[in-house]
């Protein structure tokens, strides 16, 4: 009967194009044991002479079975290397002993395997048999483990092998039968519920203040008879102050999309895990986190989960199980990240996706005939546009902003007042703006603002000749949603007017307007220099940046303006990084893209040393970002020391470098 069952299984496997491992076939083909012998401990063959490898495997039980039954194997410890929790047999804990004799909690190692890891987290040995928690069968009972041979197909929909083990998951092999794996869900609507009670905000903490609107005219007066074709006004917006209480800020839904391709080997992956540990530690119990890991393909490690004590522990376990390998499919990672946000059943008032990658997409970015690749923004799903140094410091700066969002869906409106005044342009950078056909009004879609964050928009007007002593130019206003109370708010700014004397006047340009014009023109030159460098004309890129630097140096000599000096420092840095193809490819392109992004959105980015607190480059940092950077930089030395002390250091494959475990860091977080 057993022999017939074995042949039937092999026939089914052949039909499904699945290869049966040799050692399993040898066990199934072995003759039944004589009476009194344990079916799982067959006697040695009586044939004389040395046995071949295949014969030896056919005579003896499964190697993994013997190792699974060895509870006192070499290198075993009483602490799980993944979650750092204690392991004690006979206390209701499911344990798994690998072929390399290292032991883990069964739920920890199955989670590790589900994330695509087929090597030992301690010694990096390749496993031939892996634990697998597939869909539960109707007759499944406590004490049943799943082991999936690594040389069997692992794609969704293929067959895996299930083996029932003892209650401690370290006993002898009892039985084998097939089961089909279920593919990853295409709809990510399994986000963890939001605790409505925890979102209740005390009334005295709910008032976050109003957005401030200030305006600065180019000059204070224009002669009556003069028609000003280009008259500039700076509209300056500032969000309310930081919220002091965690319970009074808006909760966050965060999706991190992490590159774990082969280029992330060694120190990069260790730094990624450390940075994610900082993020997990920083998020509050009302915040939710989901992690997407991508290499050749992308996989969601877990759905949006509240970062309470249990959620943090499970998140750290999943992140620490990541291993490197494969290509770089950024597009697939972003698509899955967007899907998590789009498919949520419940929504926190603030949501964001953070992408971390060290390389170029090797799957989705088309290359033109001249070898120049397109911008990676084309990979970002439309649903998450337009929101796009040290890894941990970069994360810290970003998280510091996301955890202080006070304004949502903000829109700036500009309305011309007196007859003949026409709005001609809005210098809005990366923000979408529009001007009405008749030029009588315009708007800018700004979106979310962090606490204390500022925005400046330069508009130009056509101002006609006047008959009276004053011309009322514009009236600004803004509408937005309070991120904490979700209340819709409208703020009216004061009307902007200009004096119209009958005589000629000589007015000096407003320093605020002049400073903004220099910033806008510098940003335009950065974009032109980047285009020249991407086209291989590095001398032209240097010339563009050098010309703008000279103009700013002349201005700084007169005013000693701090923003002007910061732009000079940044332009010089860019100039050095575009002098040659090698320098541009190494760091110039990334530095310029980050700088352009920062100025276009007027928001901090991680570029060069821009996460250093004493940098001279204008970084748009808010107080909450600076505070989070302080926390990150205080934690870094202790983490580095822990990584250096870690005993689990093994050489990485294919190189002489070493990979240090980050489990000490996870222990600290727990």
């Amino acid at each position: 009967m057993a022999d017939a069952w074995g042949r039937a299984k092999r026939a089914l496997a052949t039909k499904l194009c699945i290869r049966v491992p040799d050692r399993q076939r040898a066990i199934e083909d072995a003759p039944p044991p004589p009476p009194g012998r344990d079916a799982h401990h067959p006697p040695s063959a009586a044939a004389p002479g040395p046995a071949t490898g295949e014969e030896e495997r056919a005579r003896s039980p499964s190697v993994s079975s013997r190792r699974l039954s060895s509870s006192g194997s070499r290198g075993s410890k009483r602490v799980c290397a993944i979650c750092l929790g204690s392991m004690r047999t006979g206390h209701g804990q499911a344990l798994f002993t690998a072929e390399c004799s290292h032991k883990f909690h069964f739920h920890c190692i199955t989670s590790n395997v589900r994330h695509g890891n087929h090597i030992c987290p301690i010694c990096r040995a390749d496993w031939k048999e892996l634990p697998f928690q597939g869909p539960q069968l109707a007759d499944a009972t406590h004490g049943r483990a799943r082991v999936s041979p690594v040389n069997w197909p692992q794609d969704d929909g293929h067959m895996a092998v299930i083996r029932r083990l003892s209650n401690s998951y370290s006993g002898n092999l009892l039985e084998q039968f097939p089961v089909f794996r279920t593919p990853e869900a295409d709809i990510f609507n399994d986000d963890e519920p939001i605790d409505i009670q925890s979102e209740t905000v005390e009334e005295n903490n709910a008032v976050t203040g109003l957005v401030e609107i200030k305006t600065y005219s180019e000059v204070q007066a224009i002669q009556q008879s003069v028609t000003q074709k280009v008259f500039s006004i700076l509209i300056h917006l500032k969000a309310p102050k930081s919220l002091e209480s965690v319970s009074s800020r808006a909760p966050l839904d965060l999706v991190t999309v992490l590159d774990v391709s082969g280029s992330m080997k060694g120190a990069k992956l260790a730094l990624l895990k450390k940075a994610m540990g900082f993020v997990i530690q920083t998020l509050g119990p009302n915040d939710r986190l989901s992690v997407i890991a991508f290499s050749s393909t992308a996989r969601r490690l877990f759905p949006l989960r509240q970062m309470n004590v249990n959620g943090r522990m499970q998140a750290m376990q999943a992140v620490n199980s990541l291993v490197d390998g494969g290509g770089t499919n950024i597009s697939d990672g972003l698509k899955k990240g967007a899907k998590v946000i789009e498919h949520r059943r419940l929504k926190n008032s603030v949501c964001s996706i953070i992408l971390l990658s060290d390389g170029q997409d090797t799957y989705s970015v088309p290359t033109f005939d001249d070898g120049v690749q397109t911008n990676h923004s084309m990979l970002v799903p439309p649903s998450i546009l337009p929101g796009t140094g040290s890894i941990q410091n970069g994360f810290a700066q970003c998280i510091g902003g996301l955890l202080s969002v006070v304004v949502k869906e903000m829109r700036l409106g500009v309305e011309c007042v007196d007859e003949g005044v026409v709005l001609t342009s809005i210098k809005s950078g990366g923000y979408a703006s529009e001007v009405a056909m008749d030029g009588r009004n315009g708007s800018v879609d700004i979106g979310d603002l962090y606490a204390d964050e500022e925005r400046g928009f330069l508009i130009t007007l056509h101002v006609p000749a006047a008959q009276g002593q004053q011309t009322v130019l514009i009236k600004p206003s803004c509408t937005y949603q309070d991120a904490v109370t979700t209340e819709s708010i409208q703020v009216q700014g004061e009307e902007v007017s200009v004096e119209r004397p009958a005589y000629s006047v000589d007015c000096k340009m407003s320093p605020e307007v002049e400073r903004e014009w220099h910033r806008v023109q510098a940003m335009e030159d950065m974009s032109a220099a980047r285009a020249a460098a991407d086209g291989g004309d590095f001398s032209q890129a240097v010339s563009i940046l050098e010309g703008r630097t000279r103009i700013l140096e002349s201005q700084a000599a007169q005013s000693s303006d701090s923003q002007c000096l910061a732009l000079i420092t940044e332009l010089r840095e860019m100039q050095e990084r575009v002098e040659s193809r090698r320098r541009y490819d190494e760091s110039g392109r990334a530095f310029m893209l980050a700088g352009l992004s920062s100025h276009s959105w007027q928001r901090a980015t991680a570029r060069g040393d821009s996460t250093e607190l004493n940098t001279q480059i204008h970084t748009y940092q808010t107080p909450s970002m600076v505070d989070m950077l302080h926390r990150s930089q205080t934690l870094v030395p202790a983490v580095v020391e822990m990584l250096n002390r870690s005993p689990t250091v093994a050489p990485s494959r294919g190189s002489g470098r070493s990979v240090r475990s980050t489990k000490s860091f996870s222990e600290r977080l727990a």
Side-chain angles (χ1 to χ4, degrees):
M1 182 65 182
D3 186 50
W5 170 234
R7 287 197 300 272
K9 283 198 296 181
R10 289 202 301 276
L12 179 59
T14 302
K15 198 74 173 176
L16 293 172
C17 301
I18 299 176
R19 185 171 68 85
V20 179
D22 292 336
R23 70 175 130 189
Q24 181 182 342
R25 179 177 299 179
I27 294 173
E28 293 172 351
D29 288 343
R37 297 288 299 187
D38 187 345
H40 304 291
H41 294 82
S44 300
T52 65
E54 292 298 325
E55 291 170 347
E56 181 63 29
R57 282 192 290 271
R59 296 175 186 176
S60 59
S62 168
V63 174
S64 62
S65 302
R66 292 200 306 271
R67 287 171 177 161
L68 284 171
S69 64
S70 175
S71 59
S73 58
R74 54 182 169 80
S76 62
K77 296 183 178 179
R78 294 302 179 186
V79 176
C80 175
I82 298 178
C83 71
L84 301 181
S86 68
M87 298 186 297
R88 301 179 62 188
T89 59
H91 289 75
Q93 292 181 317
L95 306 179
F96 174 77
T97 305
E99 305 162 42
C100 56
S101 300
H102 289 117
K103 185 179 293 186
F104 311 91
H105 286 130
F106 186 76
H107 66 87
C108 290
I109 205 64
T110 50
S111 174
N112 204 39
V113 170
R114 279 200 306 272
H115 300 145
N117 305 326
H118 297 165
I119 60 177
C120 176
I122 298 177
C123 67
R124 317 292 287 179
D126 287 315
W127 287 345
K128 291 183 171 55
E129 293 192 352
L130 303 172
F132 164 57
Q133 282 187 329
Q136 298 291 332
L137 300 185
D139 63 343
T141 58
H142 176 70
R144 180 169 298 176
R146 289 161 170 77
V147 180
S148 176
V150 70
N151 56 356
W152 280 41
Q154 297 296 308
D155 294 334
D156 294 332
H158 285 80
M159 184 182 291
V161 168
I162 294 180
R163 297 183 178 178
R164 179 187 294 171
L165 306 180
S166 67
N167 286 342
S168 66
Y169 290 77
S170 59
N172 292 330
L173 180 65
L174 297 181
E175 68 176 5
Q176 305 174 4
F177 50 93
V179 70
F180 287 91
R181 298 182 63 175
T182 55
E184 184 177 30
D186 192 51
I187 303 297
F188 292 162
N189 60 356
D190 54 348
D191 50 295
E192 201 168 70
I194 299 172
D195 187 355
I196 303 299
Q197 291 183 347
S198 67
E199 291 186 0
T200 304
V201 180
E202 296 180 9
E203 187 173 352
N204 61 341
N205 288 331
V207 180
T208 61
L210 298 177
V211 170
E212 298 178 3
I213 304 178
K214 290 184 178 180
T215 55
Y216 302 90
S217 297
E218 177 181 337
V219 293
Q220 297 301 313
I222 305 174
Q223 187 177 354
Q224 280 184 359
S225 60
V226 172
T227 297
Q228 193 86 7
K229 293 184 178 180
V230 180
F231 185 85
S232 304
I233 298 176
L234 172 64
I235 302 176
H236 182 268
L237 308 172
K238 185 173 182 179
K241 295 288 184 182
S242 298
L243 299 169
E244 296 181 357
S245 172
V246 173
S247 62
S248 64
R249 66 167 173 81
L252 169 67
D253 281 344
L254 177 64
V255 179
T256 57
V257 181
L258 308 178
D259 185 350
V260 291
S261 60
S263 61
M264 293 293 292
K265 180 184 299 183
K268 289 183 182 179
L269 187 62
L271 288 172
L272 180 147
K273 293 180 180 180
K274 178 170 68 67
M276 279 303 301
F278 178 83
V279 172
I280 292 167
Q281 182 189 39
T282 302
L283 296 177
N286 294 343
D287 304 312
R288 297 189 300 177
L289 173 69
S290 179
V291 176
I292 307 293
F294 70 90
S295 52
S296 300
T297 58
R299 183 170 183 81
R300 186 186 63 162
L301 302 190
F302 53 87
L304 280 170
R305 178 176 292 157
Q306 287 184 311
M307 287 296 100
N308 48 33
V309 174
N310 187 53
R312 288 180 180 178
M313 181 185 69
Q314 294 176 350
M316 278 306 308
Q317 175 184 310
V319 169
N320 280 339
S321 70
L322 293 173
V323 294
D324 58 88
T328 307
N329 195 338
I330 296 177
S331 177
D332 199 27
L334 283 174
K335 286 177 181 177
K336 273 197 168 60
K339 194 181 291 186
V340 171
I341 295 296
E342 292 169 349
H343 294 176
R344 295 174 294 168
R345 291 179 298 120
L346 300 171
K347 299 180 179 180
N348 273 327
S349 56
V350 180
C351 72
S352 184
I353 296 177
I354 299 179
L355 167 68
L356 177 65
S357 176
D358 73 329
Q360 293 183 338
D361 191 287
T362 57
Y363 284 80
S364 312
V365 182
T367 301
F368 297 127
D369 293 337
D370 59 3
V372 178
Q373 288 188 321
T374 58
N375 194 309
H376 276 78
S377 62
M378 67 181 298
L379 301 179
V380 180
S383 60
I384 62 174
L385 283 172
T388 54
S390 166
I391 297 177
Q392 180 168 310
N393 287 343
F395 266 128
Q397 186 169 257
C398 185
I399 293 298
L402 292 174
L403 295 183
S404 65
V405 172
V406 292
V407 169
K408 289 182 59 62
E409 300 176 13
M410 186 175 184
R411 183 181 178 90
L412 170 66
V414 180
E415 182 181 356
C416 297
V417 180
D418 280 0
E419 186 177 353
V421 177
V422 176
L423 178 63
T424 55
S425 72
I426 302 177
K427 304 294 183 180
S428 60
Y431 296 99
S433 63
E434 60 180 1
V435 176
M437 292 290 292
D438 60 1
R440 294 292 292 169
N441 59 75
S443 63
V444 183
D445 291 323
I446 302 171
D448 299 351
L449 286 184
Y450 305 151
D452 300 284
E453 201 166 32
E454 303 177 41
R455 294 288 183 271
F457 299 101
L458 201 61
I459 67 171
T460 60
L461 304 171
H462 171 89
V463 182
Q467 300 295 325
Q469 299 296 312
Q470 187 183 67
T471 300
V472 182
L473 302 175
I474 63 166
K475 182 177 179 60
S477 64
C478 66
T479 58
Y480 62 91
Q481 184 184 84
D482 188 299
V484 180
T485 65
T486 69
E487 177 187 2
S488 295
I489 298 175
Q490 183 171 18
V491 178
Q492 297 289 341
E494 295 182 357
E495 291 182 340
V496 180
S497 59
V498 63
E499 300 297 324
R500 305 303 298 267
Y503 52 86
S504 176
V505 291
D506 184 15
C507 297
K508 188 176 182 180
M509 179 179 281
S510 160
E512 291 83 5
V513 173
E514 187 174 24
R515 182 186 303 120
E516 184 63 13
W517 266 118
H518 284 305
R519 190 189 71 84
V520 169
Q521 291 168 345
M523 181 173 60
E524 292 173 352
D525 283 347
M526 290 177 191
S527 180
R530 181 218 162 189
D534 281 343
D537 194 345
F538 300 104
S539 60
Q540 176 66 11
V542 170
S543 177
I544 293 172
L545 296 173
E546 192 173 22
R548 179 54 53 186
T549 302
R550 283 198 298 268
I551 294 174
L552 291 173
E553 286 174 338
S554 174
Q555 172 66 23
Q558 302 174 20
S559 64
S560 298
D561 180 70
S562 59
Q563 180 172 305
C564 187
L565 294 173
L567 281 172
I568 292 171
T569 301
E570 186 172 7
L571 289 167
R572 284 175 177 168
E573 182 77 14
M574 287 185 179
Q575 186 175 331
E576 292 178 3
R577 296 176 187 239
V578 297
E579 290 178 345
S580 66
R581 167 66 69 183
R582 181 184 63 82
R583 285 282 284 149
Y584 186 64
D585 289 343
E586 283 178 351
S587 63
R589 180 184 287 108
F591 188 85
M592 293 190 76
L593 285 172
L596 281 168
S597 174
S598 185
H599 288 298
S600 294
W601 302 104
Q602 301 181 55
R603 177 162 282 173
T605 60
R607 52 195 160 115
D609 61 352
S610 65
T611 53
E612 296 295 329
L613 298 176
N614 60 351
T615 180
Q616 293 183 337
I617 296 176
H618 184 50
T619 60
Y620 302 97
Q621 289 172 342
T622 65
S624 58
M625 290 180 177
V626 173
D627 177 66
M628 197 64 70
L629 275 172
H630 274 297
R631 292 176 56 183
S632 172
Q633 293 172 1
T634 300
L635 187 63
V636 165
V639 171
V640 171
E641 182 181 352
M642 280 189 240
L643 290 175
N644 291 335
R645 286 203 316 261
S646 175
T648 54
V649 179
S652 60
R653 301 185 181 279
S655 73
R657 294 175 297 175
S658 63
V659 182
R660 302 183 187 274
S661 168
T662 58
K663 69 174 186 177
S664 297
F665 182 69
S666 64
E667 184 175 23
R668 172 171 180 162
L669 291 176

